[in-house]
């Protein structure tokens, strides 16, 4: 919701704010998007247009076409690692630690699952995309929740 492309064909430029941050990872929870499936589709749609220059909106530089596939791979790595972490999730230590507090169990297990999913992505993209070490966990949380709730993967909730 609320994202638009602005294409300037006479200037060989595309503007798409708060989806791809050239040279940076998305900030807090995928740039605070409300629609992870739509967020993940937007870069492919942007590449369907003819353009050379990219205006991502914030931070330090204009982008180019190379920024889009890098962002797509970063997000794909988060999604892949989220599925792996969900498959391997073990809440047993939190059940043992908090036998009478199911919310503490859920929080502890979820935080551990997100951390496990984010760790390889942080390692891969630190030095490649700015703030990978700062914002990857919050984006991973958002993507992992979407995988569970929007697609029903590793969840009792089905779309």
């Amino acid at each position: 919701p609320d994202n638009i492309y602005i294409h300037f064909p006479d200037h060989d430029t595309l503007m798409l704010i708060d989806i791809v941050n050239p040279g940076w990872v998305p900030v807090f929870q995928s740039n605070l998007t409300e629609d992870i499936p739509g967020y993940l589709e937007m870069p492919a749609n942007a590449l369907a247009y003819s353009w050379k220059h990219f205006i991502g909106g914030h931070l330090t530089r204009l982008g180019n076409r190379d920024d889009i596939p890098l962002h797509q791979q970063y997000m794909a790595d988060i999604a892949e690692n989220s599925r792996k972490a969900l498959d391997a999730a073990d809440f047993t230590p939190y059940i043992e630690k908090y036998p009478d507090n199911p919310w503490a169990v859920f929080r502890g297990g979820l935080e551990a699952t997100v951390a496990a999913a984010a760790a390889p992505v942080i390692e891969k993209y630190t030095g490649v995309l700015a703030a990978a070490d700062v914002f990857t966990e919050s984006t991973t949380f958002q993507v992992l929740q979407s995988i569970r709730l929007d697609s029903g993967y590793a969840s009792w909730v089905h779309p």
Side-chain angles (χ1 to χ4, degrees):
D2 300 327
N3 287 109
I4 59 171
Y5 302 93
I6 302 172
H7 187 220
F8 303 99
D10 293 343
H11 299 281
D12 208 12
T13 301
L14 182 84
M15 186 165 117
L16 175 62
I17 308 299
D18 291 338
I19 301 294
V20 176
N21 302 337
W24 291 75
V25 300
V27 300
F28 292 110
Q29 301 174 337
S30 304
N31 290 323
L32 300 174
T33 189
E34 296 174 12
D35 175 15
I36 292 295
Y39 179 88
L40 296 173
E41 291 173 16
M42 294 287 278
N45 295 337
L47 288 172
Y49 290 87
S50 174
W51 54 270
K52 182 178 175 185
H53 310 288
F54 178 72
I55 301 170
H58 303 288
L59 302 168
T60 57
R61 69 171 174 85
L62 292 176
N64 58 54
R65 291 189 82 84
D66 294 337
D67 290 305
I68 306 295
L70 180 58
H71 169 85
Q72 288 174 302
Q73 187 58 57
Y74 171 80
M75 295 303 295
D77 288 345
I78 287 175
E80 177 184 348
N81 282 291
S82 292
R83 286 182 190 88
K84 288 178 184 177
L86 285 166
D87 290 342
D90 180 9
F91 284 40
T92 305
Y94 305 98
I95 294 168
E96 292 169 352
K97 185 175 181 177
Y98 305 108
D100 299 319
N101 189 342
W103 289 116
V105 171
F106 182 68
R107 179 179 177 166
L110 183 59
E111 286 176 346
T113 303
V114 168
V121 179
I122 292 168
E123 182 178 336
K124 179 178 178 179
Y125 289 94
T126 296
V128 177
L129 289 170
D133 57 333
V134 177
F135 292 119
T136 297
E137 276 201 24
S138 72
T139 292
T140 301
F141 171 83
Q142 198 79 340
V143 170
L144 186 139
Q145 290 299 81
S146 175
I147 288 169
R148 287 180 57 249
L149 301 173
D150 294 330
S151 69
Y153 188 90
S155 178
W156 297 284
V157 177
H158 297 283

